[in-house]
């Protein structure tokens, strides 16, 4: 597993994918994105474990010296894991983040963030990146209080952070290539895990204040950190499932009994392999 080759998802917009096994549900993406153009922007910075390959892939899309913006959707390590290195490689770049995220990264990760290279961007704020204006927009579901997604009205691209994710059976970059039933099961599973507070939502307020606000936008392409790219009718399906969440029960996590059964199964396979060698 690990990083896979970057791929273009719409005009001037690329995904840098990383794929990791997550048995027994399949695999999860750990993606980031890049928008090229007048003032290139990196959206999330990958994980430290794949830093070398991630930086190589970034360099195949844009020269780091030309990067003008770095958008951090939230401060989890799989989203901000290479921020410090990237700031060194991108001396012109301004980091788009929030006051709370800066405090968390400095105090917990020890990242040196020179404040003259920081711009606070809150939900609803716009950022002019030369040939387009991006808008920070909170996704309906999230697991980190510093989360913001980002919408590019010039292409209809929305970066949903952790929202709109779902496990995949392997490197399947498009949601359309995942059977609908499997995608639905994985989508609901991940979102229930991400936001266990979904059971406490007032479905009317949640739908009107959060889901409607996003669905009313002319979104044509959704990319997220943890799933395949979503387009067309699958976007509609995704919003429909997001509306279902307040009505679904709590996700039942795997137990110690599950873990022991996996360990026992692996030991049995190892014994059989040794006997037949």
């Amino acid at each position: 597993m690990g990083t896979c080759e970057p791929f273009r998802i719409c005009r001037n917009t690329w995904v840098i994918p990383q794929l990791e096994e997550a048995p027994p549900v399949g695999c999860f993406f750990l993606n980031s994105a890049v928008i090229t153009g007048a003032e290139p922007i990196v959206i999330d910075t990958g994980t430290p474990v794949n830093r070398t390959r991630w930086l190589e892939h970034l360099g195949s899309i844009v020269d780091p010296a030309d990067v003008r913006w770095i958008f951090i959707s939230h401060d989890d390590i799989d989203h901000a894991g290479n921020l410090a290195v990237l700031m060194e490689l991108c001396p012109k770049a301004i980091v788009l983040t929030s006051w709370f995220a800066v405090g968390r990264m400095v105090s917990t990760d020890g990242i040196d963030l020179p404040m003259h290279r920081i711009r606070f961007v809150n939900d609803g704020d716009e950022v002019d990146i030369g040939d387009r204006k991006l808008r920070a927009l909170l996704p309906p579901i999230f697991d980190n209080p510093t989360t913001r997604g980002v919408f590019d009205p010039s292409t209809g691209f929305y970066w949903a952070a952790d929202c709109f994710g779902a496990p995949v059976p392997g490197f399947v970059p498009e949601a359309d290539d995942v059977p609908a039933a499997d995608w639905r099961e994985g989508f609901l599973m991940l979102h229930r895990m991400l936001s266990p507070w979904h059971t406490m939502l007032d479905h009317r307020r949640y739908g009107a204040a959060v889901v409607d606000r996003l669905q009313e936008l002319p979104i044509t392409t959704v990319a997220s950190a943890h799933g395949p790219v979503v387009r067309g009718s699958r976007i509609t399906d995704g919003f429909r499932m997001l509306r279902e969440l307040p009505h679904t029960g709590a996700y039942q996590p795997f137990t110690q009994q599950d873990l022991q059964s996996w360990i026992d199964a692996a030991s049995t396979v190892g014994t059989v392999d040794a006997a037949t060698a």
Side-chain angles (χ1 to χ4, degrees):
M1 294 296 169
T3 50
C4 310
E5 292 299 316
F7 57 96
R8 189 170 70 88
I9 60 172
C10 56
R11 179 171 52 86
N12 300 128
T13 308
W14 297 75
V15 165
I16 302 178
Q18 178 179 328
L19 193 66
E20 299 296 337
E21 293 181 349
V25 301
C27 304
F28 277 110
F29 281 107
L30 302 174
N31 298 328
S32 52
V34 180
I35 299 176
T36 59
E39 298 179 7
I41 179 171
V42 178
I43 302 175
D44 288 341
T45 67
T47 65
V49 70
N50 276 320
R51 177 172 294 161
T52 299
R53 290 286 288 160
W54 187 88
L55 291 171
E56 290 173 355
H57 287 151
L58 174 64
S60 72
I61 300 169
V62 62
D63 185 340
D66 294 331
V67 171
R68 293 290 303 279
W69 307 95
I70 302 170
F71 181 90
I72 300 298
S73 70
H74 56 295
D75 56 69
D76 288 353
I77 195 168
D78 53 331
H79 297 261
N82 294 316
L83 175 58
V85 173
L86 198 59
M87 291 185 72
E88 293 181 4
L89 295 176
C90 306
K92 299 178 183 178
I94 299 296
V95 179
L96 304 173
T97 184
S98 66
W99 175 86
F100 195 18
V102 168
R104 287 161 58 102
M105 287 187 283
V106 170
S107 62
T108 62
D109 300 329
I111 299 177
D112 180 17
L113 295 174
M115 297 310 293
H116 69 281
R117 294 184 63 188
I118 299 296
R119 177 170 169 180
F120 291 160
V121 177
N122 297 313
D123 182 46
D125 288 350
E126 286 190 342
V127 179
D128 188 335
I129 62 168
D131 57 354
R132 69 198 72 197
K133 290 183 179 179
L134 306 181
R135 194 187 321 170
L137 289 170
L138 181 72
I141 292 296
F142 52 89
D143 70 345
N144 181 308
T146 69
T147 298
R148 291 104 63 251
V150 63
F151 176 60
D152 180 355
S154 73
T155 61
F157 164 65
Y158 179 63
W159 176 256
D162 289 346
C163 192
F164 269 85
V168 289
F171 183 66
V172 184
E174 297 281 341
D176 281 341
D177 294 328
V178 180
D182 294 345
W183 188 63
R184 173 181 170 80
E185 180 182 358
F187 187 103
L188 290 173
M189 178 199 71
L190 177 61
H191 288 74
R192 290 159 72 201
M193 284 194 299
L194 279 173
S195 302
W197 41 262
H198 71 89
T199 59
M200 298 178 278
L201 289 170
D202 178 317
H203 71 276
R204 293 183 183 87
R205 293 182 62 187
Y206 162 72
V210 183
V211 183
D212 285 354
R213 175 193 186 215
L214 202 60
Q215 192 170 9
E216 289 170 356
L217 296 173
I219 296 173
T220 61
T221 305
V222 178
S224 70
H226 303 308
V229 177
V230 185
R231 309 177 194 269
S233 63
R234 288 290 175 97
I235 295 178
T236 304
D237 293 342
F239 280 119
R240 184 181 302 115
M241 288 187 285
L242 289 171
R243 293 179 192 279
E244 289 181 32
L245 285 176
H247 307 289
T248 61
Y251 176 75
Q252 298 302 313
F254 294 118
T255 65
Q256 177 61 30
Q257 184 176 356
D258 294 321
L259 175 58
Q260 191 59 54
S261 68
W262 302 338
I263 294 171
D264 293 343
S267 298
T268 300
V269 171
T271 301
V272 171
D273 290 344
T276 58

